[in-house]
Amino acid sequence: MSKNKYFPAALLIIAVLLIAGLFVYSSGQNKDKEKKETETAVADQAEVESMWEEAAHTPLGKYPETVEYTLGKIAGSNNSNLPVGDTYEDNAYTRYLREVLNIQNMDIFELETDGSYEEALQVAIADREIPDVLVVNGWDNLERLVENGLVEDLTQVYEECTTDTIKEMYESYGDDLLDSATFDGKLYAFPNTAIDDGEMLLWLRTDWIEKLGLEEPQSMEEAMEIIREFVERDVSGSGQTVGLACSTEVIAGSSDTYGVDGIFTRFGSAPEKWILDDSGQVVYGSLTSGTKEALGYLNGLYEEGILDSRFLLRKPENIDELIEEGLCGAVFGRWWAPNNPLSISYSTDHTIEWKPYLFEEDIDDRPQTFESYDDRMYVVVRKGYEHPEIVGKYVSAIFDYARYEDDLYANEVNEYFSINVDPTARPMNINVDYIDALYRCGENLQKALNGEISVTELSGLEKSYYNTCRSYLNGNLTTANGWAAYASRIQAVEVLKAADARKIPAVSMGNADGEIPQNLQDLERETFLQIIAGEKPLDYFDTFVVKWYENGGKELTESIERNIR
């Protein structure tokens, strides 16, 4: 009995001891678990911090979390020809940047450069409230931002967060380009690069040449005679055939359309540029004897009906309509003219054929020109923004990695080129490339099409163009974009190479302000149009030169001369 009496008590004691043991064991396990979790969290935190550090100091290090930046965005016309559904904040470029760098733009404004963007830029500078990243058009605006302490010093960003290839690209322009964004030895912006677009080409309707049984031209004079035939024989059959189209701007420069720059180049003239004349003096190119000769020649074309007799009444959109309706036989344009505006005619009628021409003798007397950075674009970063390095990383990802190395994610980006999406679709509206990028690309494409090199040797951008051009040549791609890619990247570049049309490098104007005052611009434009249309005799040009100097041109020229020397 006594033995059984104490048995429940023993069991109770044992139970208590077991529970206590279990508690101690469980407590130990929890502490071990907590320790491991703490160690893991510390390790994870260290890894995250390491990723942030790497991203901040390398071209392609990816942020562990999405970095958003506000942006002042230059938009393009027609939504930059983006595919349906794509926007400026969600397109091939932004998707690629999220994947590779984990950055995302949040656009404060999206405006075209027709005055509205410039107004928004001026307001932002005046209010001292700019977005995290801003595309600045014009060196004077960049200078204002720097002088007002509104933008970050990007010297270290350039050194650490751009690839060697990007540095090589900038170096291909010499020192002047980066120097234009440098103040007191510090780099405050990433400048746009202006690749050599070659000379202005004459684009002719070769299907009309064939229809009339004519031979292709071997000189400018022969080309003008062909255009005369277009008009006199009304090759379009509409009674409204137009020969050589021309805008009232007359000079298109490097970015506009429908100028007749090629005629001026033929006479050794460079209107709207500061040049060195034969005696080594700095002069304004619109005032030379070559310019006078070119105007006289254009007047002859106008009187003979070769130059559109109604050009004074047409706006650029009216000329677009002429091309789209198949009524125009000739325009001057850069290598990219097939993309804009000539593709609109191909979209209407696939039998239309445009072909580029350039005659060596017409580019022999090109003068030495000076280059101003007044209209150059720059990308800056707001003073105090936490991640100024994203500009260098952006440039490295878009203009190096996507083009030359990345076959995994960059296909969609590179396809944008072949479907004619405008570069303004990019978040930051600059282009960074070698000065001779056009020729490099054309040569590589031609070699690949001829089987001289493997397609695997092409960059991502070149592969995209190769696929489009190959499909076009095989007859598998009949779209306007297919034709435009081939005509611009192959045909036009071949013509430029054959004529040895690489430009004479321009000399920097330094800090000289080469902008022509509005009153002198108006005087020049009015005089050119009056002489071309025969409203003033050719000798009125001499009066124009005198007026130009008397109305401020003399002082301006002397100022340019002092600053350049």
Side-chain angles (χ1 to χ4, degrees):
M1 291 289 295
S2 61
K3 188 175 183 179
N4 292 333
K5 178 181 178 182
Y6 295 102
F7 184 72
L11 286 177
L12 180 61
I13 293 170
I14 292 171
V16 169
L17 290 173
L18 284 173
I19 291 171
L22 286 171
F23 176 78
V24 171
Y25 176 77
S26 176
S27 176
Q29 274 198 324
N30 287 337
K31 287 181 179 179
D32 288 344
K33 182 180 179 182
E34 289 175 2
K35 181 179 179 182
K36 288 179 181 178
E37 288 177 350
T38 300
E39 290 174 348
T40 300
V42 170
D44 289 345
Q45 181 63 30
E47 183 179 356
V48 169
E49 289 178 359
S50 175
M51 291 177 67
W52 280 111
E53 184 72 12
E54 180 183 6
H57 298 284
T58 61
L60 298 170
K62 185 175 181 178
Y63 294 107
E65 298 174 14
T66 302
V67 171
E68 295 182 346
Y69 61 98
T70 57
L71 174 68
K73 176 82 178 72
I74 295 179
S77 59
N78 192 34
N79 200 40
S80 299
N81 201 30
L82 282 165
V84 175
D86 280 1
T87 69
Y88 288 126
E89 292 182 347
D90 184 13
N91 58 54
Y93 293 111
T94 64
R95 291 189 285 271
Y96 180 75
L97 291 166
R98 283 198 300 271
E99 185 63 48
V100 174
L101 299 177
N102 209 358
I103 64 175
Q104 174 65 53
N105 57 300
M106 308 295 289
D107 297 348
I108 299 298
F109 49 82
E110 299 170 348
L111 300 168
E112 294 185 41
T113 55
D114 55 0
S116 54
Y117 185 87
E118 289 77 6
E119 290 175 8
L121 175 62
Q122 297 303 324
V123 169
I125 295 175
D127 291 346
R128 301 180 62 86
E129 293 184 2
I130 67 172
D132 298 330
V133 176
L134 182 64
V135 180
V136 180
N137 48 354
W139 184 87
D140 55 339
N141 286 320
L142 173 62
E143 183 183 38
R144 287 178 61 198
L145 287 166
V146 174
E147 289 181 347
N148 283 279
L150 297 178
V151 291
E152 280 284 349
D153 172 8
L154 301 179
T155 308
Q156 185 176 347
V157 168
Y158 180 79
E159 291 302 322
E160 294 182 348
C161 295
T162 59
T163 62
D164 291 341
T165 298
I166 294 298
K167 291 182 176 70
E168 285 179 6
M169 290 175 178
Y170 275 119
E171 289 166 1
S172 71
Y173 294 82
D175 296 332
D176 288 344
L177 183 58
L178 284 178
D179 283 352
S180 73
T182 302
F183 299 80
D184 296 327
K186 299 177 181 179
L187 184 72
Y188 282 92
F190 278 63
N192 182 57
T193 61
I195 67 172
D196 180 2
D197 280 336
E199 293 298 329
M200 190 74 81
L201 303 170
L202 176 63
W203 293 85
L204 295 177
R205 283 282 300 270
T206 49
D207 57 314
W208 281 2
I209 293 176
E210 183 177 345
K211 182 178 181 179
L212 297 178
L214 304 173
E215 297 293 328
E216 291 190 44
Q218 302 302 312
S219 68
M220 184 71 77
E221 289 295 345
E222 289 184 12
M224 294 302 126
E225 287 303 313
I226 287 173
I227 298 172
R228 183 202 304 276
E229 293 280 347
F230 288 170
V231 178
E232 291 182 351
R233 295 168 66 175
D234 186 27
V235 67
S236 71
S238 64
Q240 304 175 61
T241 301
V242 169
L244 176 61
C246 175
S247 78
T248 52
E249 294 299 323
V250 181
I251 303 300
S254 61
S255 58
D256 293 329
T257 54
Y258 304 133
V260 285
D261 307 44
I263 297 296
F264 288 91
T265 302
R266 184 183 187 214
F267 291 93
S269 167
E272 300 184 2
K273 294 181 181 294
W274 290 95
I275 67 169
L276 279 181
D277 66 10
D278 294 338
S279 63
Q281 298 298 307
V282 177
V283 298
Y284 183 53
S286 298
L287 311 178
T288 65
S289 59
T291 301
K292 181 179 180 179
E293 290 183 73
L295 290 172
Y297 184 79
L298 286 165
N299 171 247
L301 297 180
Y302 178 80
E303 296 292 343
E304 296 170 28
I306 295 171
L307 184 68
D308 179 15
S309 60
R310 296 174 60 84
F311 89 96
L312 289 174
L313 304 176
R314 299 195 200 274
K315 296 180 179 179
E317 53 265 33
N318 301 136
I319 304 177
D320 288 345
E321 293 171 1
L322 291 175
I323 291 175
E324 184 174 12
E325 295 168 9
L327 301 176
C328 177
V331 294
F332 279 98
R334 300 287 176 186
W335 64 270
W336 41 261
N339 298 303
N340 178 33
L342 300 182
S343 61
I344 56 179
S345 64
Y346 192 89
S347 296
T348 303
D349 182 354
H350 287 188
T351 66
I352 290 176
E353 295 180 10
W354 291 93
K355 186 175 178 181
Y357 296 88
L358 182 65
F359 310 104
E360 288 185 53
E361 64 270 21
D362 295 330
I363 59 174
D364 286 342
D365 297 325
R366 292 172 291 177
Q368 175 65 67
T369 60
F370 292 91
E371 183 176 53
S372 169
Y373 293 102
D374 288 343
D375 56 355
R376 186 77 71 167
M377 286 194 298
Y378 299 87
V379 175
V380 298
V381 177
R382 174 180 59 80
K383 183 75 172 178
Y385 177 57
E386 185 179 3
H387 298 288
E389 70 276 358
I390 65 170
V391 173
K393 298 171 73 66
Y394 167 92
V395 166
S396 297
I398 293 295
F399 301 117
D400 180 7
Y401 190 57
R403 286 179 177 174
Y404 297 105
E405 295 186 44
D406 184 11
D407 290 328
L408 183 59
Y409 302 114
N411 288 337
E412 188 183 19
V413 168
N414 291 320
E415 284 172 2
Y416 264 19
F417 292 94
S418 62
I419 62 173
N420 201 22
V421 174
D422 193 81
T424 53
R426 300 172 190 144
M428 305 176 201
N429 294 59
I430 63 169
N431 180 55
V432 180
D433 212 334
Y434 295 99
I435 191 170
D436 61 345
L438 174 66
Y439 297 95
R440 292 186 185 217
C441 179
E443 289 168 8
N444 290 338
L445 283 175
Q446 191 62 72
K447 287 179 180 178
L449 289 170
N450 293 341
E452 298 173 26
I453 62 174
S454 169
V455 178
T456 59
E457 297 179 55
L458 300 177
S459 70
L461 172 66
E462 291 166 350
K463 286 177 185 176
S464 178
Y465 278 121
Y466 170 84
N467 292 333
T468 302
C469 291
R470 172 58 66 193
S471 295
Y472 170 77
L473 290 171
N474 290 341
N476 298 325
L477 183 64
T478 59
T479 63
N481 290 332
W483 169 78
Y486 178 75
S488 61
R489 289 288 176 169
I490 301 296
Q491 286 184 303
V493 175
E494 284 182 341
V495 170
L496 290 170
K497 284 176 56 183
D500 192 20
R502 299 191 188 215
K503 287 184 177 179
I504 302 169
V507 177
S508 171
M509 295 182 69
N511 293 327
D513 183 4
E515 185 175 357
I516 306 300
Q518 191 62 51
N519 68 310
L520 295 183
Q521 290 184 43
D522 294 342
L523 175 63
E524 177 181 338
R525 183 169 179 268
E526 181 180 340
T527 299
F528 280 21
L529 293 178
Q530 288 174 328
I531 292 176
I532 293 172
E535 297 174 7
K536 294 284 189 182
L538 181 58
D539 285 343
Y540 178 73
F541 180 84
D542 301 326
T543 303
F544 152 69
V545 173
V546 172
K547 286 184 176 181
W548 194 91
Y549 280 114
E550 288 179 345
N551 285 274
K554 182 175 183 295
E555 293 79 7
L556 177 61
T557 303
E558 291 172 349
S559 173
I560 297 294
E561 177 81 32
R562 285 194 304 270
N563 280 280
I564 289 178
R565 301 300 183 186

